Amino acid sequence: MSKFWSPFVKDLVPYVPGEQPKLSKLVKLNTNENPYGPSPKAVAAMQAEVNDNLRLYPDPNSDRLKQAVADYYGVQTSQVFVGNGSDEVLAHAFHGLFQHGAPLLFPDISYSFYPVYCGLYGIEYQQVALDEQFQIRVEDYARPNAGIIFPNPNAPTGCLLPLDAVERLLQGSPDSVVLVDEAYIDFGGQTAIALVDKYPNLLVTQTLSKSRSLAGLRVGIAVGHPDLIEALERIKNSFNSYPLDRIAIAGAAAAFEDRDYFEKTCQQVIDSREAVVAGLQGLGFEVLPSAANFVFARHPGKDAAELAAGLREQGVIVRHFKQQRIAQFLRITIGTPEQNQALLDALRGL
Ligand SMILES: Cc1ncc(COP(=O)(O)O)c(C=O)c1O
């Protein structure tokens, strides 16, 4: 606290990201990164951008990337927004779309950045309880709201809301924006982008940090009606004209263009997830059904915080949230088969 701060700064409760340890030997299963590297074509495209042209500003509109996303999803470039990680895209959406004199609704267990953005932008919100099986109950969202946001699959549970239920949510709140945060959709769900032409109140965000293995590059996208995209563009152009640098634009576009590599590596993660689920169940864990690149699991006879600490002693890090309802769960990112084996071996001894 300092006299130089604007008054609201002292009340901010910032987001706490998962640990990025400096030790390289650890089996790092705590922040849902992809165990496989990005597309070699994306790496080559980024390397080709490291040249004299870096003295010039990048394209403020990232047209090449928007075109690659539009081609991939069969939409118009006017329906696409891109930003510095989906966190930035989400921030602009909170700022530009969710202030309408009623609360924003999101699940009681979901991405912990949502209440942080509400704090930053002064947005009123209500958390809607997931049911006993940690699923979203669509009927619970039929109440006055300034918008609805949820991750699909949900984080940190990994549970998927089927597309027909997403559509019911959209129909239930036609006068407010429904934002589907699809950070993990490529690991087992169907994207709601298929619905954007039908529902002008639908905004879908995705990230290149997970299924396209570019967490270090910081690129996220949004797809929706051009009017929603224009709101995001207005905010972006009032904040930072160049959120994506030349390297990010080239690498992200190439990653969207390399479908084969993307599909192959997603399938590898999905196959490994099924093996991890079986391994955990074999050790007595209860595992929620996951459509993501992580699983959410609890052991009826073992304390989650102690398990996380025991794993850490053996060089395996997973995520544990000291939060009501989920304090006995561990969120475990799917790694390579070797990493997954190391996790199961370490758990066997605890
Ligand atoms: C649900 C959800 N949304 C958004 C993000 C942000 O992703 P990024 O800013 O890396 O694009 C994450 C990251 O973990 C997430 O879990």
Side-chain angles (χ1 to χ4, degrees), residues 15 31-32 83-90 110-114 117 150-156 181-184 205-210 214-216 218-221 294 319 331:
Y15 176 73
T31 46
N32 298 342
N84 188 270
S86 61
D87 281 340
E88 185 183 79
V89 177
L90 290 169
S110 73
Y111 187 34
S112 48
F113 226 134
Y114 301 160
Y117 289 135
F150 60 98
N152 200 31
N154 198 1
D181 173 355
E182 293 189 337
Y184 303 100
T205 58
Q206 292 187 355
T207 176
L208 279 80
S209 301
K210 316 292 178 180
L214 286 167
R218 310 304 300 130
V219 182
I221 66 166
F294 57 85
R319 190 101 193 244
R331 193 196 67 189

Side-chain angles (χ1 to χ4, degrees), residues 32-199:
N32 298 342
E33 287 134 335
N34 196 313
Y36 306 106
S39 148
K41 290 182 183 161
V43 173
M46 290 186 275
Q47 282 165 341
E49 282 301 310
V50 181
N51 59 40
D52 241 25
N53 283 342
L54 284 173
R55 71 195 173 80
L56 302 171
Y57 283 105
D59 171 10
N61 294 320
S62 303
D63 281 337
R64 172 155 152 54
L65 174 55
K66 284 184 183 170
Q67 191 62 59
V69 174
D71 290 347
Y72 185 85
Y73 281 116
V75 296
Q76 304 298 313
T77 51
S78 59
Q79 294 172 290
V80 179
F81 179 79
V82 298
N84 188 270
S86 61
D87 281 340
E88 185 183 79
V89 177
L90 290 169
H92 292 340
F94 273 70
H95 205 176
L97 301 171
F98 290 150
Q99 266 163 332
H100 296 287
L104 173 68
L105 306 181
F106 51 85
D108 61 339
I109 296 161
S110 73
Y111 187 34
S112 48
F113 226 134
Y114 301 160
V116 175
Y117 289 135
C118 288
L120 179 61
Y121 296 120
I123 296 167
E124 186 196 342
Y125 67 91
Q126 269 175 16
Q127 289 173 295
V128 182
L130 296 176
D131 72 12
E132 291 302 305
Q133 277 72 49
F134 297 96
Q135 305 292 329
I136 288 174
R137 254 189 318 238
V138 169
E139 335 50 286
D140 294 351
Y141 289 78
R143 55 171 109 161
N145 67 73
I148 297 171
I149 181 169
F150 60 98
N152 200 31
N154 198 1
T157 63
C159 299
L160 182 76
L161 188 70
L163 209 51
D164 60 321
V166 174
E167 198 160 3
R168 278 189 284 121
L169 263 179
L170 285 157
Q171 289 161 349
S173 289
D175 295 323
S176 46
V177 169
V178 176
L179 198 167
V180 188
D181 173 355
E182 293 189 337
Y184 303 100
I185 195 70
D186 298 318
F187 299 108
Q190 259 180 298
T191 176
I193 290 176
L195 302 175
V196 291
D197 285 334
K198 200 166 161 196
Y199 295 96

